[in-house]
Amino acid sequence: MMQAEFWNQKYQESDYHYGLKPNRFLQLLLESRPPGRLLFPAEGEGRNAVYAAKLGWEVYAFDQSERGRAKALELAEEQGVELHYEICDAREFKSELRFDVIALIYAHFPAEFRKELHQQYADLLKPGGEIWLEAFAPGQLEFQSGGPKNPEMLYNPEMLEADFSELQIRQSEIKRYQLDEGPGHQGLGEVVRFKAYKVVKD
């Protein structure tokens, strides 16, 4: 399983590597619409999934890290919520369900299969369902606040607009802001924020 041991090691400590607070962009979006069914690919230690579940969302998640899943389920139990959380590689995930939202929060995939995965996620949306994405942009290489060091794993708006070309784009922009997400994301960072939805066909 690709890089599972890397992430198991990163999540080994009892503290949460990316903190317990939800991602700021995700938090604003979650609070802006009524709850539905939500998928978190590459969810790690579960901070975002647990927050969504507390707001009443039906939350599904997966990751390749067994340690990440264990910490996510522990956090969910502490907070009194339920997560449907699988262990699998991103390319192995399959579901008969369709989702109101798929949230890709720092889910960086290798260039050779990124577009294919993004198109699969678009297919998993219900009509009217949305993709919400925040990830590091190329300018992040200037900063020490986290993220991949391989330029091919950084995202830009043009790339995402092409990957999700069958969706209606609502937001696609690069932002710089102060990250405060546990020890893993601290300090000024450059991110791409992207939001798109599946058009309801007559």
Side-chain angles (χ1 to χ4, degrees):
M1 194 175 283
M2 185 188 65
Q3 283 202 316
E5 284 312 307
F6 170 83
W7 289 106
N8 281 332
Q9 193 63 38
K10 190 165 285 239
Y11 298 146
Q12 199 54 46
E13 301 298 325
S14 58
D15 288 346
Y16 283 69
H17 190 68
Y18 298 110
L20 295 175
K21 295 182 296 186
N23 170 265
R24 189 190 308 173
F25 180 58
L26 175 75
Q27 181 178 8
L28 292 172
L29 291 174
L30 284 172
E31 293 172 354
S32 71
R33 60 168 289 167
R37 182 182 295 145
L38 173 57
L39 175 66
F40 286 98
E43 172 53 4
E45 299 167 301
R47 64 189 174 108
N48 293 313
V50 168
Y51 182 79
K54 287 175 70 176
L55 292 178
W57 289 78
E58 180 188 349
V59 177
Y60 292 77
F62 68 84
D63 199 281
Q64 55 193 343
S65 168
E66 294 177 0
R67 176 63 178 155
R69 178 181 183 271
K71 291 173 79 173
L73 294 180
E74 185 179 314
L75 183 62
E77 186 174 0
E78 287 174 7
Q79 298 291 323
V81 296
E82 183 182 2
L83 305 179
H84 307 276
Y85 196 132
E86 293 181 35
I87 290 289
C88 67
D89 183 275
R91 289 170 291 179
E92 298 168 353
F93 179 78
K94 299 285 186 291
S95 180
E96 298 300 314
L97 299 173
R98 292 299 176 264
F99 297 90
D100 296 288
V101 172
I102 297 179
L104 294 155
I105 305 300
Y106 299 107
H108 289 266
F109 302 119
E112 59 265 27
F113 58 82
R114 182 206 73 246
K115 183 169 186 174
E116 177 188 346
L117 282 184
H118 283 171
Q119 290 177 343
Q120 286 176 19
Y121 298 144
D123 291 341
L124 287 173
L125 291 174
K126 295 178 182 179
E130 296 184 87
I131 295 285
W132 299 343
L133 181 150
E134 180 170 293
F136 287 114
Q140 179 63 16
L141 293 173
E142 299 174 29
F143 304 118
Q144 302 302 312
S145 51
K149 302 307 177 197
N150 178 354
E152 291 188 353
M153 290 186 69
L154 299 171
Y155 296 174
N156 63 59
E158 296 74 24
M159 170 195 296
L160 296 173
E161 289 162 24
D163 287 0
F164 293 107
S165 59
E166 71 268 42
L167 302 182
Q168 191 75 31
I169 311 300
R170 282 185 163 156
Q171 182 177 356
S172 180
E173 60 185 346
I174 286 179
K175 292 278 189 185
R176 290 190 172 189
Y177 75 99
Q178 288 290 331
L179 299 169
D180 181 20
E181 300 183 329
H185 288 166
Q186 281 294 325
L188 188 61
E190 182 176 287
V191 305
V192 57
R193 287 178 169 176
F194 180 87
K195 187 168 66 165
Y197 73 98
K198 180 177 279 189
V199 176
V200 180
K201 294 180 179 172
D202 295 329

